[in-house]
Amino acid sequence: MDIARTPSNPDGNIEMADAAMQPHDPPEIRREDYRPFAWLVPETRIDFELGLDCTRVRSRLTVVRNAKADKSPTIRLNGDGITATSVKVDGEPTSAFTMDGDDLLLTLPGDAHEIAIETEIDPASNSQLMGLYASNGMLCTQCESEGFRRLTFFPDRPDVLSTYTVRMSGPKAQFPILLCNGNRVATGEKGEDHWAEWHDPWPKPSYLFALVAGDLVANTDSFTTMNGREVELNVWVREGDLERTQHAMDSLKRSMKWDEEAFGREYDLDLFNIVAVSDFNMGAMENKGLNVFNTKYVLADPDTATDGDFDAVEGVIGHEYFHNWSGNRITCRDWFQLSLKEGFTVLRDQLFSQDMGSAPVKRIEDVRILRSAQFPEDSGPLAHPIRPDSYREISNFYTATVYNKGAEVIRMMRTMAGEERFREGTDLYFDRHDGEAATCEDFVKSIEDGAGLDLTQFRLWYSQAGTPKVTVDLSHEGDEAVLKLGQTVPETPGQPLKQPMPIPLKLALFDRATGRHSGEQLVVLDKASAEYRFKGFAEKPVLSINRGFSAPVTVERSIPRDELVFLAARDDDPFARYEAMQDLMVGHLVAAVGGTLSDDERKGGSEDIAEAMRAILTDAKLDDLMRGELMTMPSQTYIAEQMDVSDPGRIHAEREALKAELGSRLSAEMHALYDRAEKIPFSLEAEAKGARKVKTLVLAYAAASDPAKAAELAAYQYERADNMTDRQGALMVLTGLDGVERTNKLLDFYNRYRGNALVVDKWFALQASSLHPDVVDHVKALAEHPDFTLRNPNRVRSLYMAFAANPHGFHAADGEGYRMIGDLILALDPINAQTAARFVPPLGRWRRIEPGRAAMMREQLERIAEAPKLSRDTFEQVTRSLG
């Protein structure tokens, strides 16, 4: 699954007595308490009589005692807000069951039985978008992690694997297309109704169940597997969206071919369906053979999608397809093992995207995401290991730690083993555990055995939270370079003391005179401190370390500014060059914010940064995609993470001042770059994408240094744009400025695309993330816009998540940004608890903010915690954030 932003209530008064609302004190679930389920469910048959307001569900479960579990005559069938209208055991009606909360408990005398249960559900009223729900006249499901229990009573846990046969029936005029997991085995009609029967031959857990019924059309194609089987492929959308699906289809075919070549994984059904849904909590879901996607990650054409959107569609299509093996064929034993499937699959989709485009740029993008989302998580109250020890609400653990850090941990194994031996380890994993519900330990053991590594100490990465800090000191003795490394893993909630972990660090030592090095080396720091000596250096070399971001750590090094300038201009590792440029700017900005720079130091620092930037702008060997990364300033969030306590207002002011100075000093070089890039015609090739990237960055620097000229140039770009990337880039700059062009272009953009929900989302997000001084008032006004609704997660995220990720607005000195997010959480929680809970972490970072703002952030958390009927999702996030 891919994890994918008003105080007002435009939808009217909404009842808070939703079935998903939970008591304030949900029980703690602990990994150490895991026990195998007492019953197996080898076969499940379900009959759905579909309707928007009433769907009848008849399920038949074949159950047998689990010889590997403790014997118990009682079977617990999970439910969530549903009522059984009929319960039968072995064909006979029974009332001999009890309810334990929402769960149904049956006592069974023998070792094998058939349980038949009927329920009725109301999809139209399901605003939580979990279980079976309605989306613009269509029915669809979302069952990960615990949504299946909203359909019928079932042992809804990932280690209960079953084969499913499903019959769906309903009015043909309303639901002309009926889709489910697996292969379609039969269809028929009866009067105005029709039906379809589906069978999935591969045992799967209930969270991978999927059903879709609605008026859809398909982009249909096929793929021939490496063993010659032809697979039918369909991308299902609403009729008006069909012309924007070709990129998704091409991405799917590329994913299937890449997985065969890179990991030896062949698809295993006759059919693969993707369905685009406009109301969806996540980015997409990997249900076996029937992937359900947020429309955001399916629909793309040059007029409505940016280059980033095209890349995201390809990456998410790949991610969900790759889950067919890393998640479906081998699933999780329990939810504590979530990173088993998600961390591994994120790594797989990252490697796929690297191979489909620019590997260095993709690596930098992935690290930027890690630093902006996971590093703050690791340093805050919500820190947890990639394999947690306990939880109260599992949906709160679909986090950057589980996904992104989980991928980095597996990438480190790949770095230490090498690509070939890592592949031997993954082959062994797939062979050993195909068809099983496995654990993170099963994966590590397979890599250990297949790659011939000793990963005993490495397992600490699975159990210890926090981002390790690596200290670096390079000295020179005689003809030797002496490198001293140290590591500490900071204290995190519940883990005050940490052990050293193996940290693989790629490094190179550059000769100052020639600008070359003798080769890249890998050292593995597995102690609290270690010393490494390198012979053959008549003078002290320049150190390039953590090349390629070989480990998810922060590197603390006292390095002269001239060496950073050297690396920013000459390092042959693209990530290390990017890192040197980032360090050059971060060091200057942190000192400026802290008030420790003298006038001479401030001037010298900005001059050095400008010279390094000038080298980047004029380097003819650089492609523009990489040039754009090197031109990008460190984010306010990343700068704040380098400080124990930060002042968002001062960070914003200093960052904008440096941006303005660079824009002014380098105006000629930047506008020459713009003029060159403008001549490159539109295409989706790397050269054209890079040109569009640097054009928008030049506009951003100009907006800080010469707003009037920037407004003129941005308006010019907007008018001439023949693609969404250029148009959105120009509008992004204009939203941060005052003037008639801002007003005119925002109105034009809205009128041009008002019928396209995804582009209107961009319109909301651009304004909420802008640097305009009145951004808080703009967001308040947009919350009252007729197109805004709390019921669509994409629309909520487009306005409020964009705002919460905008330090300039969110950290407004009067606390109004915090109040807005607090009001949103309270209004959204009874409608969609999962989405509401994701707005808590920005407030939860109060401990790292200066005292005045910190008090206002904490005040909002306390206000939310006091609300009656708070969901389990939000309650856990708030209480953990308060500490």
Side-chain angles (χ1 to χ4, degrees), residues 561 564 582-609 633 639 654 657-658 661:
R561 208 163 57 215
L564 285 175
Q582 294 287 296
D583 284 351
L584 194 59
M585 290 189 277
V586 167
H588 177 81
L589 289 168
V590 168
V593 171
T596 62
L597 283 182
S598 67
D599 290 344
D600 287 344
E601 288 171 331
R602 180 183 288 273
K603 181 182 178 182
S606 60
E607 286 177 349
D608 284 346
I609 294 169
M633 292 187 71
I639 297 165
E654 291 290 352
L658 178 59
E661 184 167 355

PDB file of all heavy atoms in Angstrom, residues 561 564 582-609 633 639 654 657-658 661:
ATOM      1  N   ARG A 561      35.052  25.417   5.105  1.00  0.00           N
ATOM      2  CA  ARG A 561      34.132  25.840   4.059  1.00  0.00           C
ATOM      3  C   ARG A 561      34.744  25.641   2.674  1.00  0.00           C
ATOM      4  O   ARG A 561      34.045  25.291   1.718  1.00  0.00           O
ATOM      5  CB  ARG A 561      33.745  27.298   4.277  1.00  0.00           C
ATOM      6  CG  ARG A 561      32.367  27.642   3.736  1.00  0.00           C
ATOM      7  CD  ARG A 561      31.839  28.936   4.308  1.00  0.00           C
ATOM      8  NE  ARG A 561      32.753  30.053   4.059  1.00  0.00           N
ATOM      9  CZ  ARG A 561      32.955  31.062   4.906  1.00  0.00           C
ATOM     10  NH1 ARG A 561      32.326  31.067   6.065  1.00  0.00           N
ATOM     11  NH2 ARG A 561      33.779  32.048   4.616  1.00  0.00           N
ATOM     12  N   LEU A 564      34.060  22.170   1.443  1.00  0.00           N
ATOM     13  CA  LEU A 564      32.692  21.996   0.966  1.00  0.00           C
ATOM     14  C   LEU A 564      32.531  22.602  -0.424  1.00  0.00           C
ATOM     15  O   LEU A 564      31.858  22.025  -1.294  1.00  0.00           O
ATOM     16  CB  LEU A 564      31.702  22.643   1.936  1.00  0.00           C
ATOM     17  CG  LEU A 564      31.448  21.900   3.247  1.00  0.00           C
ATOM     18  CD1 LEU A 564      30.539  22.713   4.159  1.00  0.00           C
ATOM     19  CD2 LEU A 564      30.832  20.525   2.989  1.00  0.00           C
ATOM     20  N   GLN A 582      24.353  21.259   0.062  1.00  0.00           N
ATOM     21  CA  GLN A 582      23.383  21.410   1.154  1.00  0.00           C
ATOM     22  C   GLN A 582      24.090  21.789   2.457  1.00  0.00           C
ATOM     23  O   GLN A 582      23.652  22.696   3.179  1.00  0.00           O
ATOM     24  CB  GLN A 582      22.592  20.111   1.345  1.00  0.00           C
ATOM     25  CG  GLN A 582      21.686  19.753   0.182  1.00  0.00           C
ATOM     26  CD  GLN A 582      20.456  20.621   0.089  1.00  0.00           C
ATOM     27  OE1 GLN A 582      19.597  20.621   0.965  1.00  0.00           O
ATOM     28  NE2 GLN A 582      20.363  21.408  -0.975  1.00  0.00           N
ATOM     29  N   ASP A 583      25.187  21.101   2.763  1.00  0.00           N
ATOM     30  CA  ASP A 583      25.925  21.395   3.997  1.00  0.00           C
ATOM     31  C   ASP A 583      26.462  22.826   4.003  1.00  0.00           C
ATOM     32  O   ASP A 583      26.492  23.494   5.043  1.00  0.00           O
ATOM     33  CB  ASP A 583      27.096  20.416   4.159  1.00  0.00           C
ATOM     34  CG  ASP A 583      26.657  19.037   4.609  1.00  0.00           C
ATOM     35  OD1 ASP A 583      25.471  18.882   4.967  1.00  0.00           O
ATOM     36  OD2 ASP A 583      27.497  18.115   4.599  1.00  0.00           O
ATOM     37  N   LEU A 584      26.902  23.277   2.841  1.00  0.00           N
ATOM     38  CA  LEU A 584      27.424  24.638   2.731  1.00  0.00           C
ATOM     39  C   LEU A 584      26.345  25.648   3.110  1.00  0.00           C
ATOM     40  O   LEU A 584      26.589  26.587   3.881  1.00  0.00           O
ATOM     41  CB  LEU A 584      27.909  24.868   1.301  1.00  0.00           C
ATOM     42  CG  LEU A 584      28.791  26.086   1.022  1.00  0.00           C
ATOM     43  CD1 LEU A 584      30.063  26.052   1.860  1.00  0.00           C
ATOM     44  CD2 LEU A 584      29.130  26.129  -0.470  1.00  0.00           C
ATOM     45  N   MET A 585      25.132  25.428   2.611  1.00  0.00           N
ATOM     46  CA  MET A 585      24.037  26.363   2.900  1.00  0.00           C
ATOM     47  C   MET A 585      23.492  26.170   4.306  1.00  0.00           C
ATOM     48  O   MET A 585      23.213  27.148   5.010  1.00  0.00           O
ATOM     49  CB  MET A 585      22.933  26.206   1.849  1.00  0.00           C
ATOM     50  CG  MET A 585      23.334  26.714   0.473  1.00  0.00           C
ATOM     51  SD  MET A 585      21.965  26.774  -0.729  1.00  0.00           S
ATOM     52  CE  MET A 585      21.956  25.080  -1.293  1.00  0.00           C
ATOM     53  N   VAL A 586      23.353  24.915   4.733  1.00  0.00           N
ATOM     54  CA  VAL A 586      22.804  24.658   6.066  1.00  0.00           C
ATOM     55  C   VAL A 586      23.712  25.237   7.145  1.00  0.00           C
ATOM     56  O   VAL A 586      23.245  25.882   8.096  1.00  0.00           O
ATOM     57  CB  VAL A 586      22.592  23.145   6.290  1.00  0.00           C
ATOM     58  CG1 VAL A 586      22.325  22.851   7.769  1.00  0.00           C
ATOM     59  CG2 VAL A 586      21.421  22.656   5.453  1.00  0.00           C
ATOM     60  N   GLY A 587      25.014  25.007   7.025  1.00  0.00           N
ATOM     61  CA  GLY A 587      25.934  25.533   8.027  1.00  0.00           C
ATOM     62  C   GLY A 587      25.840  27.039   8.146  1.00  0.00           C
ATOM     63  O   GLY A 587      25.833  27.605   9.252  1.00  0.00           O
ATOM     64  N   HIS A 588      25.765  27.709   7.016  1.00  0.00           N
ATOM     65  CA  HIS A 588      25.648  29.176   7.007  1.00  0.00           C
ATOM     66  C   HIS A 588      24.330  29.611   7.651  1.00  0.00           C
ATOM     67  O   HIS A 588      24.306  30.534   8.485  1.00  0.00           O
ATOM     68  CB  HIS A 588      25.731  29.666   5.565  1.00  0.00           C
ATOM     69  CG  HIS A 588      25.559  31.147   5.417  1.00  0.00           C
ATOM     70  ND1 HIS A 588      26.587  32.040   5.633  1.00  0.00           N
ATOM     71  CD2 HIS A 588      24.470  31.898   5.085  1.00  0.00           C
ATOM     72  CE1 HIS A 588      26.153  33.266   5.436  1.00  0.00           C
ATOM     73  NE2 HIS A 588      24.878  33.205   5.097  1.00  0.00           N
ATOM     74  N   LEU A 589      23.233  28.946   7.291  1.00  0.00           N
ATOM     75  CA  LEU A 589      21.918  29.356   7.781  1.00  0.00           C
ATOM     76  C   LEU A 589      21.737  29.059   9.266  1.00  0.00           C
ATOM     77  O   LEU A 589      21.159  29.870   9.999  1.00  0.00           O
ATOM     78  CB  LEU A 589      20.822  28.672   6.965  1.00  0.00           C
ATOM     79  CG  LEU A 589      20.674  29.182   5.523  1.00  0.00           C
ATOM     80  CD1 LEU A 589      19.788  28.263   4.703  1.00  0.00           C
ATOM     81  CD2 LEU A 589      20.131  30.603   5.515  1.00  0.00           C
ATOM     82  N   VAL A 590      22.230  27.934   9.730  1.00  0.00           N
ATOM     83  CA  VAL A 590      22.120  27.607  11.153  1.00  0.00           C
ATOM     84  C   VAL A 590      22.882  28.628  11.985  1.00  0.00           C
ATOM     85  O   VAL A 590      22.399  29.108  13.020  1.00  0.00           O
ATOM     86  CB  VAL A 590      22.624  26.174  11.430  1.00  0.00           C
ATOM     87  CG1 VAL A 590      22.794  25.942  12.927  1.00  0.00           C
ATOM     88  CG2 VAL A 590      21.654  25.151  10.854  1.00  0.00           C
ATOM     89  N   ALA A 591      24.065  28.994  11.534  1.00  0.00           N
ATOM     90  CA  ALA A 591      24.847  30.006  12.260  1.00  0.00           C
ATOM     91  C   ALA A 591      24.153  31.362  12.214  1.00  0.00           C
ATOM     92  O   ALA A 591      24.127  32.103  13.214  1.00  0.00           O
ATOM     93  CB  ALA A 591      26.244  30.104  11.656  1.00  0.00           C
ATOM     94  N   ALA A 592      23.564  31.693  11.078  1.00  0.00           N
ATOM     95  CA  ALA A 592      22.860  32.971  10.960  1.00  0.00           C
ATOM     96  C   ALA A 592      21.640  33.013  11.862  1.00  0.00           C
ATOM     97  O   ALA A 592      21.382  34.014  12.555  1.00  0.00           O
ATOM     98  CB  ALA A 592      22.460  33.207   9.510  1.00  0.00           C
ATOM     99  N   VAL A 593      20.881  31.939  11.895  1.00  0.00           N
ATOM    100  CA  VAL A 593      19.696  31.880  12.761  1.00  0.00           C
ATOM    101  C   VAL A 593      20.106  31.950  14.228  1.00  0.00           C
ATOM    102  O   VAL A 593      19.448  32.609  15.049  1.00  0.00           O
ATOM    103  CB  VAL A 593      18.893  30.590  12.483  1.00  0.00           C
ATOM    104  CG1 VAL A 593      17.794  30.407  13.532  1.00  0.00           C
ATOM    105  CG2 VAL A 593      18.283  30.632  11.094  1.00  0.00           C
ATOM    106  N   GLY A 594      21.213  31.297  14.559  1.00  0.00           N
ATOM    107  CA  GLY A 594      21.688  31.301  15.938  1.00  0.00           C
ATOM    108  C   GLY A 594      22.366  32.587  16.350  1.00  0.00           C
ATOM    109  O   GLY A 594      22.751  32.747  17.521  1.00  0.00           O
ATOM    110  N   GLY A 595      22.564  33.511  15.415  1.00  0.00           N
ATOM    111  CA  GLY A 595      23.163  34.800  15.733  1.00  0.00           C
ATOM    112  C   GLY A 595      24.646  34.735  16.000  1.00  0.00           C
ATOM    113  O   GLY A 595      25.197  35.621  16.672  1.00  0.00           O
ATOM    114  N   THR A 596      25.343  33.730  15.483  1.00  0.00           N
ATOM    115  CA  THR A 596      26.768  33.568  15.769  1.00  0.00           C
ATOM    116  C   THR A 596      27.659  34.050  14.630  1.00  0.00           C
ATOM    117  O   THR A 596      28.882  33.906  14.701  1.00  0.00           O
ATOM    118  CB  THR A 596      27.088  32.089  16.066  1.00  0.00           C
ATOM    119  OG1 THR A 596      26.777  31.303  14.917  1.00  0.00           O
ATOM    120  CG2 THR A 596      26.279  31.594  17.256  1.00  0.00           C
ATOM    121  N   LEU A 597      27.072  34.591  13.563  1.00  0.00           N
ATOM    122  CA  LEU A 597      27.873  35.055  12.435  1.00  0.00           C
ATOM    123  C   LEU A 597      28.244  36.529  12.605  1.00  0.00           C
ATOM    124  O   LEU A 597      27.380  37.375  12.845  1.00  0.00           O
ATOM    125  CB  LEU A 597      27.083  34.904  11.127  1.00  0.00           C
ATOM    126  CG  LEU A 597      26.958  33.512  10.508  1.00  0.00           C
ATOM    127  CD1 LEU A 597      26.186  33.608   9.200  1.00  0.00           C
ATOM    128  CD2 LEU A 597      28.317  32.877  10.269  1.00  0.00           C
ATOM    129  N   SER A 598      29.516  36.843  12.432  1.00  0.00           N
ATOM    130  CA  SER A 598      29.931  38.243  12.339  1.00  0.00           C
ATOM    131  C   SER A 598      29.585  38.747  10.940  1.00  0.00           C
ATOM    132  O   SER A 598      29.266  37.962  10.036  1.00  0.00           O
ATOM    133  CB  SER A 598      31.424  38.369  12.590  1.00  0.00           C
ATOM    134  OG  SER A 598      32.147  37.751  11.535  1.00  0.00           O
ATOM    135  N   ASP A 599      29.660  40.028  10.755  1.00  0.00           N
ATOM    136  CA  ASP A 599      29.376  40.593   9.437  1.00  0.00           C
ATOM    137  C   ASP A 599      30.318  40.022   8.383  1.00  0.00           C
ATOM    138  O   ASP A 599      29.900  39.701   7.261  1.00  0.00           O
ATOM    139  CB  ASP A 599      29.488  42.118   9.482  1.00  0.00           C
ATOM    140  CG  ASP A 599      28.364  42.760  10.271  1.00  0.00           C
ATOM    141  OD1 ASP A 599      27.353  42.066  10.523  1.00  0.00           O
ATOM    142  OD2 ASP A 599      28.498  43.950  10.645  1.00  0.00           O
ATOM    143  N   ASP A 600      31.600  39.895   8.737  1.00  0.00           N
ATOM    144  CA  ASP A 600      32.570  39.356   7.785  1.00  0.00           C
ATOM    145  C   ASP A 600      32.274  37.888   7.474  1.00  0.00           C
ATOM    146  O   ASP A 600      32.387  37.454   6.313  1.00  0.00           O
ATOM    147  CB  ASP A 600      33.990  39.490   8.340  1.00  0.00           C
ATOM    148  CG  ASP A 600      34.486  40.933   8.318  1.00  0.00           C
ATOM    149  OD1 ASP A 600      33.864  41.759   7.612  1.00  0.00           O
ATOM    150  OD2 ASP A 600      35.472  41.227   9.018  1.00  0.00           O
ATOM    151  N   GLU A 601      31.904  37.124   8.492  1.00  0.00           N
ATOM    152  CA  GLU A 601      31.577  35.710   8.279  1.00  0.00           C
ATOM    153  C   GLU A 601      30.322  35.562   7.428  1.00  0.00           C
ATOM    154  O   GLU A 601      30.236  34.680   6.563  1.00  0.00           O
ATOM    155  CB  GLU A 601      31.400  35.010   9.626  1.00  0.00           C
ATOM    156  CG  GLU A 601      32.698  34.799  10.386  1.00  0.00           C
ATOM    157  CD  GLU A 601      32.463  34.293  11.800  1.00  0.00           C
ATOM    158  OE1 GLU A 601      31.399  34.608  12.395  1.00  0.00           O
ATOM    159  OE2 GLU A 601      33.349  33.594  12.320  1.00  0.00           O
ATOM    160  N   ARG A 602      29.335  36.402   7.672  1.00  0.00           N
ATOM    161  CA  ARG A 602      28.110  36.352   6.873  1.00  0.00           C
ATOM    162  C   ARG A 602      28.424  36.637   5.401  1.00  0.00           C
ATOM    163  O   ARG A 602      27.963  35.928   4.504  1.00  0.00           O
ATOM    164  CB  ARG A 602      27.084  37.352   7.409  1.00  0.00           C
ATOM    165  CG  ARG A 602      25.763  37.364   6.640  1.00  0.00           C
ATOM    166  CD  ARG A 602      24.826  38.427   7.198  1.00  0.00           C
ATOM    167  NE  ARG A 602      24.297  38.042   8.485  1.00  0.00           N
ATOM    168  CZ  ARG A 602      23.195  37.307   8.661  1.00  0.00           C
ATOM    169  NH1 ARG A 602      22.538  36.868   7.600  1.00  0.00           N
ATOM    170  NH2 ARG A 602      22.769  37.016   9.862  1.00  0.00           N
ATOM    171  N   LYS A 603      29.230  37.689   5.171  1.00  0.00           N
ATOM    172  CA  LYS A 603      29.584  38.059   3.814  1.00  0.00           C
ATOM    173  C   LYS A 603      30.410  36.959   3.146  1.00  0.00           C
ATOM    174  O   LYS A 603      30.141  36.558   1.998  1.00  0.00           O
ATOM    175  CB  LYS A 603      30.359  39.373   3.816  1.00  0.00           C
ATOM    176  CG  LYS A 603      30.752  39.844   2.422  1.00  0.00           C
ATOM    177  CD  LYS A 603      31.561  41.138   2.484  1.00  0.00           C
ATOM    178  CE  LYS A 603      31.996  41.576   1.095  1.00  0.00           C
ATOM    179  NZ  LYS A 603      32.833  42.800   1.122  1.00  0.00           N
ATOM    180  N   GLY A 604      31.409  36.436   3.878  1.00  0.00           N
ATOM    181  CA  GLY A 604      32.259  35.394   3.311  1.00  0.00           C
ATOM    182  C   GLY A 604      31.491  34.123   3.012  1.00  0.00           C
ATOM    183  O   GLY A 604      31.706  33.479   1.975  1.00  0.00           O
ATOM    184  N   GLY A 605      30.574  33.768   3.902  1.00  0.00           N
ATOM    185  CA  GLY A 605      29.779  32.564   3.694  1.00  0.00           C
ATOM    186  C   GLY A 605      28.898  32.660   2.468  1.00  0.00           C
ATOM    187  O   GLY A 605      28.825  31.722   1.653  1.00  0.00           O
ATOM    188  N   SER A 606      28.212  33.779   2.319  1.00  0.00           N
ATOM    189  CA  SER A 606      27.318  33.923   1.171  1.00  0.00           C
ATOM    190  C   SER A 606      28.111  33.992  -0.127  1.00  0.00           C
ATOM    191  O   SER A 606      27.656  33.495  -1.172  1.00  0.00           O
ATOM    192  CB  SER A 606      26.436  35.165   1.333  1.00  0.00           C
ATOM    193  OG  SER A 606      27.211  36.341   1.441  1.00  0.00           O
ATOM    194  N   GLU A 607      29.309  34.596  -0.079  1.00  0.00           N
ATOM    195  CA  GLU A 607      30.149  34.647  -1.284  1.00  0.00           C
ATOM    196  C   GLU A 607      30.590  33.244  -1.698  1.00  0.00           C
ATOM    197  O   GLU A 607      30.576  32.902  -2.892  1.00  0.00           O
ATOM    198  CB  GLU A 607      31.368  35.536  -1.038  1.00  0.00           C
ATOM    199  CG  GLU A 607      31.039  37.030  -1.009  1.00  0.00           C
ATOM    200  CD  GLU A 607      32.256  37.880  -0.697  1.00  0.00           C
ATOM    201  OE1 GLU A 607      33.296  37.298  -0.307  1.00  0.00           O
ATOM    202  OE2 GLU A 607      32.170  39.107  -0.843  1.00  0.00           O
ATOM    203  N   ASP A 608      30.981  32.419  -0.725  1.00  0.00           N
ATOM    204  CA  ASP A 608      31.398  31.051  -1.041  1.00  0.00           C
ATOM    205  C   ASP A 608      30.233  30.239  -1.626  1.00  0.00           C
ATOM    206  O   ASP A 608      30.411  29.461  -2.572  1.00  0.00           O
ATOM    207  CB  ASP A 608      31.930  30.356   0.207  1.00  0.00           C
ATOM    208  CG  ASP A 608      33.344  30.826   0.563  1.00  0.00           C
ATOM    209  OD1 ASP A 608      33.983  31.457  -0.288  1.00  0.00           O
ATOM    210  OD2 ASP A 608      33.790  30.554   1.695  1.00  0.00           O
ATOM    211  N   ILE A 609      29.048  30.414  -1.043  1.00  0.00           N
ATOM    212  CA  ILE A 609      27.874  29.698  -1.552  1.00  0.00           C
ATOM    213  C   ILE A 609      27.567  30.143  -2.972  1.00  0.00           C
ATOM    214  O   ILE A 609      27.273  29.331  -3.856  1.00  0.00           O
ATOM    215  CB  ILE A 609      26.665  29.928  -0.627  1.00  0.00           C
ATOM    216  CG1 ILE A 609      26.913  29.279   0.743  1.00  0.00           C
ATOM    217  CG2 ILE A 609      25.393  29.360  -1.248  1.00  0.00           C
ATOM    218  CD1 ILE A 609      25.900  29.666   1.809  1.00  0.00           C
ATOM    219  N   MET A 633      17.576  24.792  -2.545  1.00  0.00           N
ATOM    220  CA  MET A 633      18.001  25.136  -1.187  1.00  0.00           C
ATOM    221  C   MET A 633      17.463  24.116  -0.188  1.00  0.00           C
ATOM    222  O   MET A 633      16.420  23.502  -0.415  1.00  0.00           O
ATOM    223  CB  MET A 633      17.485  26.531  -0.811  1.00  0.00           C
ATOM    224  CG  MET A 633      18.120  27.659  -1.598  1.00  0.00           C
ATOM    225  SD  MET A 633      17.629  29.282  -0.973  1.00  0.00           S
ATOM    226  CE  MET A 633      18.527  29.312   0.598  1.00  0.00           C
ATOM    227  N   ILE A 639      16.554  22.365   7.901  1.00  0.00           N
ATOM    228  CA  ILE A 639      17.382  23.303   8.671  1.00  0.00           C
ATOM    229  C   ILE A 639      17.026  23.210  10.155  1.00  0.00           C
ATOM    230  O   ILE A 639      17.897  23.154  11.025  1.00  0.00           O
ATOM    231  CB  ILE A 639      17.195  24.739   8.152  1.00  0.00           C
ATOM    232  CG1 ILE A 639      17.674  24.842   6.704  1.00  0.00           C
ATOM    233  CG2 ILE A 639      17.948  25.735   9.027  1.00  0.00           C
ATOM    234  CD1 ILE A 639      17.214  26.092   5.997  1.00  0.00           C
ATOM    235  N   GLU A 654      16.023  34.133   7.363  1.00  0.00           N
ATOM    236  CA  GLU A 654      17.405  33.943   6.916  1.00  0.00           C
ATOM    237  C   GLU A 654      17.460  33.173   5.595  1.00  0.00           C
ATOM    238  O   GLU A 654      18.280  33.469   4.728  1.00  0.00           O
ATOM    239  CB  GLU A 654      18.214  33.220   7.989  1.00  0.00           C
ATOM    240  CG  GLU A 654      18.480  34.040   9.244  1.00  0.00           C
ATOM    241  CD  GLU A 654      19.465  35.189   8.989  1.00  0.00           C
ATOM    242  OE1 GLU A 654      20.054  35.262   7.882  1.00  0.00           O
ATOM    243  OE2 GLU A 654      19.629  36.014   9.898  1.00  0.00           O
ATOM    244  N   ALA A 657      16.504  35.510   2.862  1.00  0.00           N
ATOM    245  CA  ALA A 657      17.566  36.489   2.640  1.00  0.00           C
ATOM    246  C   ALA A 657      18.687  35.885   1.799  1.00  0.00           C
ATOM    247  O   ALA A 657      19.217  36.531   0.875  1.00  0.00           O
ATOM    248  CB  ALA A 657      18.107  36.998   3.975  1.00  0.00           C
ATOM    249  N   LEU A 658      19.076  34.641   2.110  1.00  0.00           N
ATOM    250  CA  LEU A 658      20.121  33.990   1.319  1.00  0.00           C
ATOM    251  C   LEU A 658      19.627  33.746  -0.105  1.00  0.00           C
ATOM    252  O   LEU A 658      20.373  33.940  -1.079  1.00  0.00           O
ATOM    253  CB  LEU A 658      20.535  32.674   1.973  1.00  0.00           C
ATOM    254  CG  LEU A 658      21.592  31.855   1.217  1.00  0.00           C
ATOM    255  CD1 LEU A 658      22.881  32.657   1.038  1.00  0.00           C
ATOM    256  CD2 LEU A 658      21.871  30.528   1.933  1.00  0.00           C
ATOM    257  N   GLU A 661      19.875  36.949  -1.967  1.00  0.00           N
ATOM    258  CA  GLU A 661      21.251  37.323  -2.285  1.00  0.00           C
ATOM    259  C   GLU A 661      21.783  36.484  -3.440  1.00  0.00           C
ATOM    260  O   GLU A 661      22.445  37.004  -4.346  1.00  0.00           O
ATOM    261  CB  GLU A 661      22.144  37.170  -1.059  1.00  0.00           C
ATOM    262  CG  GLU A 661      23.558  37.648  -1.306  1.00  0.00           C
ATOM    263  CD  GLU A 661      24.377  37.789  -0.045  1.00  0.00           C
ATOM    264  OE1 GLU A 661      23.810  37.604   1.058  1.00  0.00           O
ATOM    265  OE2 GLU A 661      25.579  38.078  -0.154  1.00  0.00           O
TER     266      GLU A 661
END
